[in-house]
Amino acid sequence: MNSFRNRLLLAVFVLIVLVQAMTVGAVLERTRVELKSGAMAALDARVKATQRMVALSGDSAVNALQLEVDDNTTKGLLLNGDSDTVRQTLAALSKQRRSQVAFLTDGIHPPIIVGSSPSLMSAAVEFAESATVLRDKSARSMMIVLDGRPFRMSIVNARTRNDGKWIGLGHEVDDAGLEKLRDVMDLELTYIARDPDGRRSIVSTLPKPLRSSLFSLPLTPVAGHSGAAQSIQLEGQEYLTALVPLHAKRGAVVAVVQRPMSDTAARFKRLRLEMIGISAAALLIAAVIVTLVARRALRPIDQLVQAAQRIEQGRYNERVTVSGGREFERLASVIDGMQRRIAERESRIVHQARHDQLTGLPNRLAARSRLARLLKARAPVGLVILDLRGFKHLNASFGHELGDQILKEIARRLQSAVRTGDYVARLGTDQYLLLLNGSTADHAEVIATQVVRDIRPGLLLGSIAVNLDVHAGVCAAPEHGSEAEELLRRGDIALQEAKTRSVPICRYEPGHDETYRKRLKLIAELRTAIGSNQLHLVFQPKVQMADRRVRSLEALVRWTHPQLGPVPPSEFVPLAEQTGTIGELTRWVLRTAIDQLAHWRAAGFETEVAVNLSASDLNDPDLPDGILAMLIQADVLPRQLLLEITESAIMREPEKAVRAMRRLRDAGIRFSIDDFGTGHSSLAQLKALPVDELKIDRSFIRDLEQGTRDDAIVRSAIELSHSLGLKVVAEGIETPAAWTALIHLGCDYAQGYFVSRPLAAEQVGEWIGEVNARLANAESGTAQVRVLTELRSTRRWPS
């Protein structure tokens, strides 16, 4: 039904049906109107005949009465008899003529009346007393309404002069009388009578259930044309109806002449069936003709459809030709040219769909297909997945143009590092894949080592030297799997393990799947942990080395998982950054730390708490207002809050970061640069930032001793920071040598396990009181080392 041929045939057939239906409808409607008009004309003629029949009926009754009255015996009794004789004669005459009322009047004396009921006689008196109006003629027949019923009154003069007496007989018009007229005229006849007192009655040849409906119908005779027909509905049946007002001396009588339309309707139905039959036959013939013509006319379209199907199936080598008209031939030529161009474009599209546009390397789709073919052939194959860690930050710092050059240079080096028959692909923005045909896991690891060793020293692009942090995951088939998706997933698991361990290369091991699944479990449940009291804070003190007192703490988040137990921040914080949950986590830490500050302040203990912010936090436009609202709500002073931010976080979007920092610093909140020395910035870049202190990364402090390279680096950092008016915090102090070295270098604050491990909130007050009392009194470095050693040995640290 959805084909063009079927739609065309349907359209033509529907058009024929509509035209045929309109024609038949118009003919039937015209026929119906003509039949109804003819029925009305016939009714009109019969109405006139009915009027004549009614008049003849009255004249016949008058003539019969006149013969009776002209009889000498009857006349003598009526004219010369006394009242009783007259009544008896009238009664005998009424009985003989089968009338219901009879009277004799001279227009002077009260009339003598006999009748079938007192009410009827009383009504007849009124008429008889006015019957003298008939003196102008010797005989009269008229309708009167007596006792609310229609009567035909026949009146004759008993003398030859007009000044004599008049005799009248009243015959009630009943159903039987009207039925006689109906049999003659073939019409339904109804008399509706109403007397001057408002009483009314109806006499009719209609079935009794239909009669009462006539009282409520708008039956109004047309003035000057009493026989005008109209159509009415009685109990669902149509009647042609005409009203004939009858001359009535007393009251009003209307004759309703009706003819049912059932015969006309039956004729119309027969004619309609005949017309429908003829139309159906015509439509069938038209459908056959249209189908045959359309099949011949649409044959070129079928040929074009077949050509389009060949093109759809990717067969472009057969030329498209049709016959059947100049238009179709031109369309075939266009389609033929189109299929050639489609073949060319498809070839380019397939190449583009399976290759990276920047480097020209195959993409993930092509690599998966190639790996599946190798596995199907049961060939050993080694996989190496490489990741350029921090490439997005390089793009943000140096621009996409330099980033594109880096990606193309790495692609070139990878292609030159593999053998002929091996496969290099780009899996994503900063990931590459090596498929090493016929290689074992050991060989793949060797190739990965060579590639990483070649890339890690960095690239020189023009005058710009770029250092790259490269990690690689290694696996092999059939050792680590026999399905393409399985091997790619396990290669990615090995890569994630290398990044987690901060090692250049990691080979997939069976236990890595558990680590991967654990990571997925942590990702799925971290958001729940934030809102279900699975997290808590611990606080690590920072000692001010000038007076050896603790005035600041760093808030550190801990997670105790219901099934996995304690989860290190090094595991779940990076996951929060990767999954976008870091914002919720940071807000929880901020709110909890500020609430703890409020609790300590209420207890009479004031201190400063540092909270770490990520790059995502710093770029959140709602963060400043959120932090200030928390401080106001908890009644905590802004100077009690220190926010620690890494160099890389600031350098990601410097302008946005600086705006947020200034907004908070203007409110009194201070900032510290965390892990200083590991990012891409320098003191020269940081001097314009609204910061108050720098935290030297633990990698420079862990093995710090006087006279070492780390000593020189830390010394330079402290001196330059002080020249910029910044305080310096050394984190990661774990040895007495590092503590002693920092005393000589003039470092402002010290933090690390040698000072104190992180404390639970309830331990903070006691520990600070003890360390401030004992360490402040230790003047020499040896005494300070001894005090800190003793404090650590006697303290039970929280998990």
Side-chain angles (χ1 to χ4, degrees):
M1 181 57 68
N2 290 328
S3 67
F4 174 73
R5 171 187 294 170
N6 290 338
R7 290 201 300 270
L8 180 61
L9 288 174
L10 180 62
V12 173
F13 189 72
V14 168
L15 181 61
I16 293 174
V17 169
L18 288 176
V19 173
Q20 189 78 356
M22 291 173 65
T23 303
V24 171
V27 171
L28 289 176
E29 178 62 20
R30 184 62 184 171
T31 302
R32 186 188 67 81
V33 171
E34 290 295 333
L35 287 175
K36 191 170 184 179
S37 298
M40 287 185 173
L43 179 65
D44 188 58
R46 294 185 180 223
V47 165
K48 295 177 180 178
T50 300
Q51 290 175 311
R52 290 193 296 271
M53 287 291 295
V54 170
L56 289 174
S57 175
D59 292 344
S60 175
V62 169
N63 292 334
L65 177 59
Q66 188 69 57
L67 290 176
E68 293 290 342
V69 171
D70 287 344
D71 180 75
N72 292 329
T73 302
T74 302
K75 181 184 294 188
L77 292 174
L78 291 174
L79 296 179
N80 301 316
D82 56 16
S83 296
D84 291 336
T85 302
V86 172
R87 282 189 176 87
Q88 292 175 2
T89 304
L90 287 175
L93 183 61
S94 176
K95 182 178 180 179
Q96 182 179 351
R97 301 303 304 166
R98 297 180 181 180
S99 67
Q100 286 74 37
V101 64
F103 68 87
L104 182 144
T105 181
D106 59 2
I108 299 172
H109 300 93
I112 299 173
I113 297 177
V114 296
S116 59
S117 68
S119 60
L120 180 62
M121 293 174 62
S122 175
V125 168
E126 180 183 350
F127 174 77
E129 289 176 346
S130 62
T132 55
V133 297
L134 299 177
R135 292 178 180 180
D136 56 337
K137 292 188 178 179
S138 61
R140 272 289 184 263
S141 175
M142 65 180 65
M143 296 294 299
I144 66 171
V145 181
L146 301 178
D147 198 18
R149 292 175 291 169
F151 284 80
R152 167 67 65 179
M153 186 64 70
S154 302
I155 302 171
V156 298
N157 196 330
R159 293 185 176 181
T160 57
R161 298 188 307 275
N162 289 336
D163 55 354
K165 295 184 179 181
W166 289 268
I167 299 170
L169 292 181
H171 295 82
E172 183 178 1
V173 181
D174 57 8
D175 294 349
L178 292 184
E179 287 175 359
K180 292 179 181 179
L181 286 176
R182 181 190 63 184
D183 294 339
V184 175
M185 303 304 300
D186 191 21
L187 290 172
E188 300 291 346
L189 187 61
T190 300
Y191 281 5
I192 299 175
R194 184 186 301 271
D195 65 11
D197 297 329
R199 290 173 295 180
R200 63 181 183 177
S201 65
I202 188 168
V203 182
S204 178
T205 60
L206 288 173
K208 291 185 178 180
L210 302 182
R211 298 180 183 184
S212 59
S213 302
L214 293 176
F215 284 123
S216 60
L217 291 175
L219 299 174
T220 304
V222 180
H225 185 46
S226 60
Q230 53 187 307
S231 176
I232 64 171
Q233 294 285 333
L234 295 178
E235 298 294 332
Q237 186 174 355
E238 184 179 7
Y239 284 85
L240 283 180
T241 304
L243 270 64
V244 182
L246 300 179
H247 179 67
K249 181 61 181 174
R250 184 178 185 277
V253 179
V254 176
V256 182
V257 182
Q258 294 177 295
R259 184 175 185 182
M261 290 292 290
S262 54
D263 292 342
T264 303
R267 290 173 56 197
F268 179 73
K269 287 181 180 178
R270 288 194 300 271
L271 180 61
R272 182 172 59 189
L273 290 175
E274 292 174 1
M275 290 290 293
I276 291 174
I278 295 171
S279 298
L283 288 176
L284 181 61
I285 296 172
V288 173
I289 294 174
V290 168
T291 302
L292 295 175
V293 172
R295 181 177 299 174
R296 181 179 181 86
L298 297 177
R299 188 172 299 160
I301 294 180
D302 290 336
Q303 295 173 336
L304 292 174
V305 169
Q306 294 172 4
Q309 290 173 341
R310 290 196 305 270
I311 295 172
E312 180 186 23
Q313 296 167 3
R315 295 184 288 141
Y316 307 119
N317 54 351
E318 187 174 343
R319 188 176 180 184
V320 181
T321 57
V322 298
S323 59
R326 183 179 303 172
E327 294 81 1
F328 289 113
E329 292 174 358
R330 182 179 178 186
L331 181 58
S333 176
V334 171
I335 293 176
D336 188 58
M338 180 184 68
Q339 80 169 346
R340 290 195 301 271
R341 290 187 291 274
I342 288 175
E344 297 170 358
R345 283 197 296 269
E346 187 175 287
S347 177
R348 292 196 300 270
I349 290 171
V350 169
H351 182 272
Q352 293 172 358
R354 301 174 68 86
H355 288 76
D356 175 50
Q357 298 300 304
L358 178 64
T359 62
L361 295 177
N363 60 14
R364 179 181 288 273
L365 178 64
R368 187 189 297 114
S369 178
R370 177 65 175 267
L371 179 57
R373 289 197 300 270
L374 291 174
L375 295 174
K376 188 175 181 180
R378 301 183 181 279
V381 58
L383 279 79
V384 179
I385 300 179
L386 294 104
D387 181 89
L388 307 180
R389 196 168 189 179
F391 177 75
K392 293 180 180 178
H393 296 162
L394 286 174
N395 252 346
S397 301
F398 298 103
H400 289 280
E401 184 176 352
L402 181 65
D404 292 346
Q405 293 182 34
I406 293 172
L407 295 174
K408 289 190 284 189
E409 175 60 21
I410 292 176
R412 187 192 65 78
R413 293 192 183 191
L414 293 178
Q415 287 175 310
S416 63
V418 299
R419 307 162 300 179
T420 304
D422 291 339
Y423 199 76
V424 182
R426 185 184 176 196
L427 298 183
T429 302
D430 50 7
Q431 281 193 355
Y432 293 85
L433 170 69
L434 305 182
L435 294 181
L436 307 174
N437 193 10
S439 293
T440 62
D442 291 335
H443 179 259
E445 190 169 354
V446 171
I447 297 299
T449 303
Q450 294 175 356
V451 170
V452 171
R453 187 184 300 121
D454 179 45
I455 297 175
R456 270 200 170 230
L459 306 176
L460 183 62
L461 301 174
S463 60
I464 301 176
V466 180
N467 294 324
L468 295 174
D469 188 11
V470 183
H471 297 276
V474 177
C475 65
E479 180 180 350
H480 298 134
S482 57
E483 298 292 333
E485 285 297 334
E486 181 183 30
L487 284 169
L488 289 170
R489 179 174 59 83
R490 289 182 170 174
D492 189 62
I493 290 174
L495 174 63
Q496 297 301 323
E497 192 68 22
K499 292 162 71 174
T500 302
R501 295 182 189 175
S502 296
V503 297
I505 300 167
C506 184
R507 183 194 294 194
Y508 172 79
E509 299 293 342
H512 290 170
D513 277 317
E514 294 298 326
T515 303
Y516 184 72
R517 282 193 286 270
K518 178 183 177 182
R519 186 179 294 115
L520 292 179
K521 183 178 181 63
L522 293 178
I523 290 173
E525 298 182 6
L526 178 56
R527 194 182 299 273
T528 302
I530 295 173
S532 59
N533 296 322
Q534 295 180 23
L535 303 180
H536 65 279
L537 291 184
V538 293
F539 301 87
Q540 188 172 32
K542 294 192 296 184
V543 176
Q544 184 171 304
M545 301 194 74
D547 59 3
R548 297 173 302 283
R549 291 182 178 276
V550 176
R551 291 185 170 86
S552 182
L553 304 164
E554 181 179 0
L556 303 171
V557 64
R558 297 291 185 263
W559 181 9
T560 304
H561 192 278
Q563 289 83 37
L564 303 177
V567 182
S570 59
E571 287 190 26
F572 69 84
V573 172
L575 295 179
E577 292 179 342
Q578 295 170 14
T579 58
T581 319
I582 190 65
E584 293 182 44
L585 180 60
T586 301
R587 290 178 185 274
W588 183 90
V589 173
L590 282 165
R591 184 169 54 253
T592 306
I594 292 172
D595 289 345
Q596 186 61 54
L597 281 170
H599 177 74
W600 283 333
R601 189 179 186 188
F605 168 60
E606 286 200 13
T607 186
E608 175 190 88
V609 171
V611 175
N612 289 279
L613 298 184
S614 70
S616 300
D617 297 326
L618 199 57
N619 293 323
D620 181 0
D622 298 328
L623 181 69
D625 290 335
I627 293 175
L628 295 177
M630 292 180 195
L631 291 171
I632 294 172
Q633 185 177 3
D635 193 21
V636 172
L637 299 176
R639 61 178 173 79
Q640 292 182 263
L641 182 63
L642 177 71
L643 300 178
E644 296 187 1
I645 305 169
T646 62
E647 298 173 77
S648 57
I650 298 175
M651 291 301 103
R652 181 175 297 185
E653 294 189 55
E655 294 182 2
K656 187 179 293 187
V658 169
R659 282 198 301 271
M661 293 171 67
R662 285 178 177 166
R663 170 89 167 83
L664 291 169
R665 198 167 187 273
D666 290 343
I669 297 173
R670 296 183 303 116
F671 283 89
S672 174
I673 300 299
D674 196 12
D675 299 336
F676 181 75
T678 61
H680 304 290
S681 63
S682 64
L683 285 173
Q685 291 172 306
L686 295 175
K687 69 180 181 180
L689 296 176
V691 297
D692 300 274
E693 68 178 33
L694 298 181
K695 292 185 74 172
I696 300 176
D697 186 68
R698 67 182 62 248
S699 62
F700 300 107
I701 305 298
R702 186 183 301 114
D703 301 321
L704 178 64
E705 292 184 14
Q706 295 184 41
T708 61
R709 291 185 63 186
D710 287 339
D711 180 71
I713 293 172
V714 173
R715 182 188 304 275
S716 299
I718 292 174
E719 290 176 353
L720 288 173
S721 297
H722 286 169
S723 68
L724 294 173
L726 303 176
K727 299 293 184 179
V728 179
V729 180
E731 65 175 341
I733 300 174
E734 298 180 0
T735 64
W739 175 270
T740 304
L742 289 170
I743 293 175
H744 293 288
L745 293 174
C747 185
D748 298 296
Y749 295 94
Q751 178 183 352
Y753 281 6
F754 182 71
V755 175
S756 172
R757 288 179 176 270
L759 302 167
E762 59 270 16
Q763 296 176 314
V764 168
E766 179 187 352
W767 188 91
I768 290 179
E770 186 174 359
V771 76
N772 284 350
R774 296 184 58 184
L775 190 61
N777 294 324
E779 296 292 340
S780 66
T782 303
Q784 296 168 15
V785 168
R786 184 173 59 252
V787 170
L788 290 173
T789 303
E790 291 175 358
L791 287 172
R792 284 191 299 111
S793 64
T794 60
R795 179 65 54 185
R796 181 178 180 181
W797 310 105
S799 58

